[in-house]
Amino acid sequence: MDETIAGADGPTDIPPMRPEMIEEAPPLPLKTAADDSIVALFTRLVDDAETFVRAEIRLYRANVFSRLSEARTAIIMLLTSFLIAQSAIIALLVGLVVILRPAFGAVGATATVVIGGVSVAGLLAWLAINKIRQLTDIKGKPPKGDRP
């Protein structure tokens, strides 16, 4: 039973509140004549602001933990799929060794597959490093040759 509230960025899903997330607010003090002074009013304002901030922090914390618990299953599935894909790649490489063995012999087929695998891994690492450098490069800085 999800509630949806339309915000500035569109609908926002709010997870349902569990009883352990809800804390009762402290009772409001009764107003007396002495509470009308500026100092008392300002003190009450600060106390109310502190109570409000603490309540907001509890709300955001509850939302974060709720989202993390919902995402846990998805993260586990993603890691499992990664491990299965890695197993499939290993099986493919073993199959390549078996296929190339009649032509190159056992040692030659193994060396060929290892060199090919390391080459592909090196190429992917080089491309990833260049992409990361490109993404983290500061825009608008002078080229290397123009520095004093």
Side-chain angles (χ1 to χ4, degrees), residues 1-142:
M1 179 166 87
D2 290 338
E3 299 176 21
T4 303
I5 296 177
D9 299 332
T12 305
D13 291 332
I14 298 175
M17 296 295 286
R18 295 188 302 262
E20 64 269 10
M21 291 182 182
I22 301 172
E23 293 183 16
E24 290 197 25
L28 295 175
L30 297 174
K31 186 177 176 184
T32 63
D35 288 339
D36 288 339
S37 70
I38 297 293
V39 173
L41 289 173
F42 188 72
T43 302
R44 214 167 62 207
L45 174 68
V46 170
D47 289 341
D48 289 346
E50 181 181 355
T51 303
F52 174 75
V53 168
R54 288 183 189 276
E56 284 292 317
I57 289 172
R58 280 194 306 268
L59 175 66
Y60 287 124
R61 184 172 180 231
N63 283 337
V64 165
F65 284 127
S66 174
R67 298 277 170 114
L68 285 176
S69 66
E70 291 173 9
R72 183 182 317 142
T73 304
I75 291 169
I76 290 171
M77 283 193 255
L78 184 65
L79 289 174
T80 304
S81 69
F82 174 74
L83 291 174
I84 292 171
Q86 186 177 12
S87 300
I89 290 171
I90 290 170
L92 175 71
L93 294 175
V94 170
L96 280 173
V97 169
V98 170
I99 291 171
L100 294 175
R101 191 170 141 204
F104 296 111
V107 174
T110 302
T112 303
V113 171
V114 167
I115 290 171
V118 169
S119 299
V120 169
L123 176 67
L124 288 174
W126 180 74
L127 289 172
I129 288 170
N130 284 340
K131 187 71 165 177
I132 289 171
R133 282 185 185 150
Q134 200 176 44
L135 291 173
T136 58
D137 192 22
I138 298 173
K139 306 289 186 237
K141 74 176 183 180

